[in-house]
Amino acid sequence: AQSVTQPDARVTVSEGASLQLRCKYSYSATPYLFWYVQYPRQGLQLLLKYYSGDPVVQGVNSFEAEFSKSNSSFHLQKASVHWSDSAVYFCALSMGYNQGKLIFGQGTKLSIKP
Amino acid sequence: EAAVTQSPRSKVAVTGGKVTLSCHQTNNHDYMYWYRQDTGHGLRLIHYSYVADSTEKGDIPDGYKASRPSQENFSLILELASLSQTAVYFCATGTGSYAEQFFGPGTRLTVL
């Protein structure tokens, strides 16, 4: 069955440090992958998406993600985090042609230490 | 101006009561979705629709009904609210296929 796993429920990093949030997926066909961010008491906002081509995709606010078919992964990265990056981050997998249904990971809560 | 709006933003309901959550979009998207989010969990799909007057079951439809009277509006109905339905509910829109979805701000529902 299709699934998305985010193995880290919580991650804490210091401001200015680099960041990696992990995402593993299980899907037999070509995956279409997304990273969303949820700030407190708000809806989800798209950070970036991967459809095909270059495995490294750029998103908003200097986030990027790297797709690896061999590892079934789509990890989110940022070179230098800011306190405003504190939020919950969700990885999602799209499946089903013309349905657009998304399967979400459990989310990773990112906290930034000053 | 927000493209996906939800009402109410917060609601307290009694067990066994009827609850209706509403979603309105100005994205002109064919697809609309209802998700629920439980603390510490990701979002799970309840119902979705790709055309007015038609709805489809998602992954967790039990205890919920949906209504899509127009392209712009999509409602989620809890006929007999239960404690286990306490959660945050999100509406989203999209163009289908493998496209990204656009989310509303959510409705926090507490069933007592």
Side-chain angles (χ1 to χ4, degrees), chain A residues 27 30 32 34 36 38 41-46 49 51 90 94-107, chain B residues 9 31 33 35 37 40-45 48 50 57-59 90 96-106 108:
Chain A
Y27 186 51
T30 301
Y32 290 73
F34 306 86
Y36 284 87
Q38 183 182 28
R41 304 252 173 200
Q42 295 186 29
L44 279 68
Q45 302 171 33
L46 183 69
K49 59 189 177 186
Y51 286 167
F90 291 97
S94 180
M95 51 169 282
Y97 181 73
N98 270 348
Q99 294 179 5
K101 294 165 64 176
L102 291 177
I103 296 175
F104 284 87
Q106 302 91 324
Chain B
R9 292 293 312 276
Y31 285 78
Y33 309 85
Y35 294 90
Q37 181 182 36
H41 292 80
L43 280 67
R44 291 181 290 171
L45 182 64
Y48 66 100
Y50 54 84
K57 293 181 179 180
D59 299 321
F90 288 98
S97 299
Y98 298 98
E100 68 264 35
Q101 294 178 15
F102 299 84
F103 286 79
R108 184 173 297 273

Side-chain angles (χ1 to χ4, degrees), chain B residues 1 10 18 20-21 28-29 37 39-41 54 57 60 67-68 76 78 92 94-95 109:
Chain B
E1 182 180 345
S10 178
K18 182 177 181 178
T20 299
L21 308 182
N28 199 32
H29 288 161
Q37 181 182 36
T39 303
H41 292 80
S54 178
K57 293 181 179 180
I60 53 165
S67 173
R68 181 95 180 267
L76 185 68
L78 290 66
T95 56
L109 174 65

